[in-house]
Amino acid sequence: MEPYRIKAVEPLPLTTRAQRETALRRVHYNLFDLHADEVTIDLLTDSGTGALSAAQWAAGMAGDESYAGSRSYHRFHEVVRELTSYPHVLPVHQGRAAERILFSALLKPGRITLSNTHFDTTRANVELCGGLAVDLPCPQARDLDSDDPFKGDIDLDRLKETLSGPDASRVAVVVMTLTNNGQGGQPVSMDNLARAAELCREHEVPFFLDAARFAENAWLVTQHEPAYRDVSPREVAEQAFRLADGCLMSAKKDGIVHIGGFLGLRDTALAERCRLLLVATEGFPTYGGLAGRDLDMVAQGLTEVTDPHYLRSRADAARHLARLAREAGISILEPPGLHAVYLNAGRLLPHIAPHRFPGHALACQLYLEGGIRSVELGSLYLGKEDADGNPVATAPFELLRLALPRRTYTFSHLDHVGEVLAATARDRDRIPGYRLVEQPPILRHFQSRLEPVRR
Ligand code: F0G
């Protein structure tokens, strides 16, 4: 059961199928354009969508809104420093602001960043600085069906090769994403993290964590890495941060807040450069784009998120949803992580070609069937077509992500999702593909217009 009870409730928007059909036509089959009050269960993202605890709301009320040196900042700094050990902590409004500041300070055109997998904003910020973002996921990540517990790892052989190869002098930083959102939210083992850190130390390359889901990663380490079976998630997290030179943090995930983030750093000279950018673009270093109350809420969230009872119930929820999907006959990216369940839409809908977007087709159907919003991670997100709509590049897998907001939906909400999955799978042959009617030049999945096609 969930280790909390509910104190404030919000009605779920309940709609009819006819209303959903009209809404979907109005937004040209782009779920990002729906009004949130047309969505019954919103599984679009786990970012900034969690429920705050009573203690977080109380901490927010006690927030100090002084421009400089607020009590809130000092509490926040103390909590982050104890967790991470980094002496320099720069608050930012969300994760991508930390990315922009770090990469602006570290990168010059032509320099390379390496990662187990860059998240898409991380990659975009590297590229905006003229850098080249190279992903080195481990080979197990290519097998969606295997239940290997650490498919989020970096490929250590390729990391070693790159750090000693002809491009070695161009490598500016290695970023390990915990958990690996781009690879289905799979975790990174402590063994992999320690070996990657060691290689970076040998080659004198800064080693950073993208720690957005550090607590969920720590939980999976305690469950699957024998050496950590009797270690608490908090202790695992502390050890992980101590292996690195700093971190990028979107507190909208494992800070369990609606907005916030930080950049943690060991190196004083680098911190000075970042602080200048922070003042110019985010805010004075003791608030960095956040209100005092936000800093207090992050501080409180970070002390709650490593609670083993909370993490266990989150893992149980993901496993429950994964089981409902499998029972409905829908394969998922195995094993399920904590923040989302990824459905294998390509396998469910073999009659829909990649450039007719099986993941998107499934997303539209789940909305029509039960008011569920989700996000495609397949050829709509990663593919390209020529001017006549013929495919030039398709994604390696056609996936659909059902993300789980923190402390927001109960097991009975997930049962509703399970019923919708079952009804959708029963009627799979009738689900149409989609054709792009209009698309922007970049990040097309946010803004494109589509229409159903039956071929
Ligand atoms: N890093 C990872 C691993 C992320 O998943 C995200 C955001 C960011 C960085 C950027 O953080 O949104 O605070 O600027 N992921 C969200 C998602 C948007 O839906 O997966 P942000």
Side-chain angles (χ1 to χ4, degrees):
M1 63 185 178
E2 292 87 353
Y4 42 81
R5 57 183 175 173
I6 296 166
K7 186 163 193 163
V9 297
E10 189 180 16
L12 284 182
L14 298 173
T15 54
T16 63
R17 192 177 180 110
Q19 285 170 327
R20 296 193 290 273
E21 276 168 5
T22 308
L24 209 49
R25 265 198 306 277
R26 188 194 75 238
V27 299
H28 303 276
Y29 301 91
N30 183 336
L31 300 172
F32 284 98
D33 278 343
L34 288 171
H35 294 189
D37 58 13
E38 293 167 324
V39 176
T40 303
I41 305 278
D42 205 345
L43 307 184
L44 187 64
T45 179
D46 65 320
S47 180
T49 51
L52 302 193
S53 65
Q56 280 179 294
W57 284 116
M61 280 306 290
D64 171 3
E65 305 302 340
S66 304
Y67 189 91
S70 72
R71 193 174 56 241
S72 299
Y73 171 75
H74 289 293
R75 176 175 182 220
F76 161 84
H77 183 265
E78 192 53 26
V79 167
V80 177
R81 204 186 45 77
E82 269 180 23
L83 172 66
T84 64
S85 77
Y86 306 138
H88 306 285
V89 181
L90 281 54
V92 293
H93 79 278
Q94 64 181 93
R96 63 199 75 184
E99 293 163 4
R100 180 178 49 73
I101 289 171
L102 179 69
F103 298 140
S104 304
L106 270 182
L107 298 182
K108 285 200 263 311
R111 301 211 68 193
I112 296 172
T113 62
L114 304 176
S115 177
N116 51 345
T117 307
H118 296 79
F119 179 68
D120 57 9
T121 59
T122 320
R123 170 176 292 278
N125 277 299
V126 169
E127 290 172 358
L128 280 171
C129 293
L132 178 69
V134 179
D135 290 338
L136 305 173
C138 66
Q140 306 90 284
R142 280 195 290 272
D143 181 354
L144 301 191
D145 300 315
S146 87
D147 58 4
D148 199 304
F150 291 110
K151 292 200 266 189
D153 283 354
I154 196 166
D155 185 332
L156 290 167
D157 294 337
R158 289 181 65 202
L159 178 63
K160 192 171 179 178
E161 254 166 56
T162 316
L163 290 177
S164 38
D167 289 331
S169 63
R170 289 168 58 205
V171 178
V173 61
V174 173
V175 179
M176 292 290 283
T177 311
L178 310 182
T179 55
N180 194 339
N181 191 13
Q183 303 287 342
Q186 300 292 319
V188 177
S189 68
M190 289 299 280
D191 181 62
N192 187 261
L193 205 59
R195 287 172 197 261
E198 181 60 36
L199 282 171
C200 288
R201 216 176 1 260
E202 256 171 50
H203 294 273
E204 295 180 4
V205 172
F207 183 65
F208 273 72
L209 307 184
D210 173 345
R213 299 178 180 86
F214 73 93
E216 297 182 354
N217 199 84
W219 172 257
L220 290 164
V221 164
T222 65
Q223 299 303 296
H224 299 295
E225 199 166 349
Y228 292 86
R229 199 159 284 153
D230 298 321
V231 183
S232 70
R234 166 77 192 200
E235 177 63 29
V236 173
E238 286 183 8
Q239 289 186 25
F241 283 115
R242 280 159 181 75
L243 288 169
D245 298 307
C247 74
L248 301 152
M249 177 69 191
S250 167
K252 299 174 73 171
K253 285 79 168 174
D254 276 350
I256 328 187
V257 288
H258 301 141
I259 197 73
F262 56 87
L263 178 57
L265 300 150
R266 276 195 209 293
D267 183 307
T268 301
L270 178 60
E272 282 312 314
R273 294 209 298 283
C274 290
R275 217 170 263 125
L276 290 178
L277 292 164
L278 181 76
V279 176
T281 59
E282 285 283 292
F284 189 73
T286 63
Y287 73 86
L290 293 172
R293 62 177 170 276
D294 296 326
L295 293 167
D296 270 301
M297 287 170 164
V298 173
Q300 180 61 31
L302 290 174
T303 63
E304 294 176 8
V305 73
T306 48
D307 171 9
H309 300 293
Y310 157 74
L311 287 167
R312 178 183 298 282
S313 118
R314 190 148 166 79
D316 285 348
R319 265 209 305 273
H320 182 62
L321 182 56
R323 190 166 50 237
L324 294 173
R326 288 188 212 103
E327 282 168 10
I330 303 178
S331 312
I332 65 156
L333 196 163
E334 300 284 0
L338 262 64
H339 86 286
V341 172
Y342 293 64
L343 307 181
N344 189 337
R347 189 173 292 164
L348 181 73
L349 305 172
H351 62 288
I352 302 180
H355 70 295
R356 294 290 176 246
F357 313 125
H360 184 71
L362 184 55
C364 288
Q365 204 61 28
L366 297 184
Y367 178 69
L368 280 177
E369 197 65 47
I372 295 160
R373 179 155 69 170
S374 52
V375 69
E376 190 254 17
L377 292 172
S379 291
L380 182 58
Y381 173 54
L382 291 171
K384 277 195 184 77
E385 290 81 41
D386 64 18
D388 301 321
N390 301 311
V392 179
T394 56
F397 304 108
E398 301 298 335
L399 302 177
L400 179 73
R401 185 181 79 170
L402 303 176
L404 297 167
R406 292 170 181 74
R407 306 189 291 208
T408 303
Y409 295 117
T410 63
F411 280 77
S412 85
H413 292 121
L414 297 180
D415 288 339
H416 166 74
V417 177
E419 284 163 23
V420 173
L421 291 177
T424 303
R426 271 196 299 274
D427 248 0
R428 73 186 82 180
D429 299 337
R430 296 228 293 274
I431 299 176
Y434 285 79
R435 189 175 77 83
L436 274 164
V437 189
E438 236 179 84
Q439 57 173 311
I442 53 164
L443 295 174
R444 68 179 185 177
H445 58 297
F446 290 125
Q447 288 180 58
S448 46
R449 295 180 161 195
L450 299 103
E451 67 181 20
V453 280
R454 298 236 164 238
R455 70 195 148 74

